[in-house]
Amino acid sequence: MNELNSHFLNQWRLSATSSPPDLTDEDSEAVPSELDTFHSSGMFSIVLPDKLTVKYPNAQLHGHDVGVVQANKAAPVKRLVYYFEMFVKNAGVKGQIAIGFTTEGFKGKMRRQPGWEANSYGYHGDDGYLYRGQGKGEEFGPTYTVNDTVGGGINYASQKFFFTKNGEIVGDVCKEVKGRLYPTVAVHSQNEEVRVNFGKEPFVFDLKAYEEQERAKQQMTIEKIVIPQNASNRIVRSYLLHYGYEETLQLFDNASGSSVPPISLTQENGFNDEDKIFRLTDRRILRQLIRNGKIDEAFGRIREIFPQEFQDDTSATCFLLHCQKFIELVREANLEEAIFYGRSAFEKFYEFEEYKDLLKDCSALLAYEQPEKSTVGYLLEDSQRELVADAVNAFVLSLNPSLEDRKSCLQSHLEKLLRQLTACFLERRSLNGDQGEAFHIRRILEASVRRV
């Protein structure tokens, strides 16, 4: 089976098993939910039964008798921002409370404040200093005490830690440590008591507004990049050409012709749309027929245009068209004819392993009174017609005698550009230690619409 055929069979399988990505669930990871009582410095601090409150009950005897507790899970990394907060219930004798982040290796040094050891960062309440890997702190922000809420966050886009006090940002600092980081709190004098919030309760700090602000910064950076208007028009035009949207293409050309320089079909900046002109009107008609469920007419037109080339009755293109004909009969509730058609049309495909799963899905439509609500209901959606139309469009483009690369039939320049953009985003995230949110084209498009 050639690459053209396998591509669209794989697309069908994806449509059967996948659903639109949930932007909140994609790249889901385990998140901190409570304090880690197993690795805490239990000889100096006590984690209360709620596993969110930590207390220093006794007087400290030595300067290194610190009560340190990490979260039970590392901070998730596949997102724009991670954040948690700590409420100071009692500042104790000295108010030597701290909030910050530490690495896995810090578990063996649980008598030290976050920021006192390498690869750890801490914002301390008694002096307002920031400590990052050494015993000497640096001026950073205000002190904090009883009834204050302080927070610590990681901005994966800017690769910085940031800290807050009572809902306001105190400051940020470059994150110069790789690897997984654990939210960490510390108490260090008698009667100090803090309660941690990992997100089960609303934060004092407006995290959502902060994330929107950070995305707006990214968007502003993107918008500063100057792209010639004729370049963007060429990308859109190429897409319309590739998929045979002839009438839309004419409207697009008319609308852009007054303000955009004429677009040549000669190769320029990697574009060569000459191959996409091939059988444009025929491809437009075939797409319309399939989108309207007129599969017999589509079959007839293909055989009329390509009587020699359309002889392979076991090709993926033929298979998809036969399946779609069967699906249209089920859609029309013409079940008796659908059974008869399935028996005659599908028989020659059963010997091919690559078709078996899809044949089972088609046949399963007959088992349900309401097939559109079943597990194979995806076959009755308009997206299924589009998939078959795309396959036929690619088949026609592949018959162009001047075509140099058959793979170019599978995707438009726009889709290739989006793949390259995704690859660049993943590479950037890889360079940051696989930290940062995934590339969501849907989120970007929705954000652009809101800004218009």
Side-chain angles (χ1 to χ4, degrees), residues 92-136:
V93 176
K94 298 182 180 180
Q96 294 175 328
I97 299 164
I99 184 173
F101 293 92
T102 56
T103 61
E104 176 77 21
F106 197 80
K107 294 184 188 298
K109 304 169 183 176
M110 297 300 281
R111 296 176 62 177
R112 305 284 287 168
Q113 287 271 18
W116 283 4
E117 294 292 331
N119 298 323
S120 68
Y121 291 73
Y123 171 36
H124 292 211
D126 57 334
D127 55 15
Y129 280 20
L130 176 73
Y131 293 77
R132 43 176 171 171
Q134 53 189 7
K136 185 179 180 181

Side-chain angles (χ1 to χ4, degrees), residues 285-302:
I285 294 172
L286 285 168
R287 180 174 292 278
Q288 289 176 340
L289 290 173
I290 295 169
R291 292 176 74 180
N292 292 328
K294 299 178 179 180
I295 308 303
D296 285 336
E297 292 183 42
F299 259 126
R301 190 166 186 89
I302 296 174

Side-chain angles (χ1 to χ4, degrees), residues 2 80 104 128 207 215 240-241 265 298 362 401 408 425 428 430:
N2 64 38
L80 178 64
E104 176 77 21
L207 181 60
R215 289 200 175 95
L240 298 174
L241 269 173
L265 291 177
C362 286
S408 66
F425 198 99
R428 180 189 176 197
S430 176

Side-chain angles (χ1 to χ4, degrees), residues 169-229:
I169 292 180
V170 172
D172 57 30
V173 60
C174 289
K175 185 172 78 68
E176 298 173 344
V177 56
K178 299 294 183 182
R180 305 306 291 265
L181 292 161
Y182 288 77
T184 305
V185 296
V187 286
H188 196 186
S189 71
Q190 189 173 17
N191 294 328
E192 289 178 359
E193 183 176 348
V194 298
R195 177 180 169 83
V196 181
N197 177 16
F198 291 115
K200 289 183 179 179
E201 301 172 4
F203 291 128
V204 174
F205 176 64
D206 192 339
L207 181 60
K208 185 176 181 181
Y210 177 79
E211 290 177 333
E212 290 177 353
Q213 182 180 7
E214 290 302 302
R215 289 200 175 95
K217 290 179 183 178
Q218 295 177 358
Q219 187 66 28
M220 288 177 63
T221 302
I222 293 171
E223 290 175 358
K224 289 179 181 178
I225 301 173
V226 178
I227 299 177
Q229 187 178 2

Side-chain angles (χ1 to χ4, degrees), residues 273-289:
D273 292 333
E274 194 166 353
D275 291 340
K276 308 298 184 183
I277 299 294
F278 181 73
R279 294 284 186 176
L280 178 59
T281 299
D282 290 321
R283 289 189 288 119
R284 185 254 302 170
I285 294 172
L286 285 168
R287 180 174 292 278
Q288 289 176 340
L289 290 173

Side-chain angles (χ1 to χ4, degrees), residues 33-37 47-54 196 198:
S33 59
E34 59 187 38
L35 295 171
D36 182 1
T37 57
V47 177
L48 300 190
D50 64 0
K51 294 187 178 182
L52 295 172
T53 304
V54 58
V196 181
F198 291 115

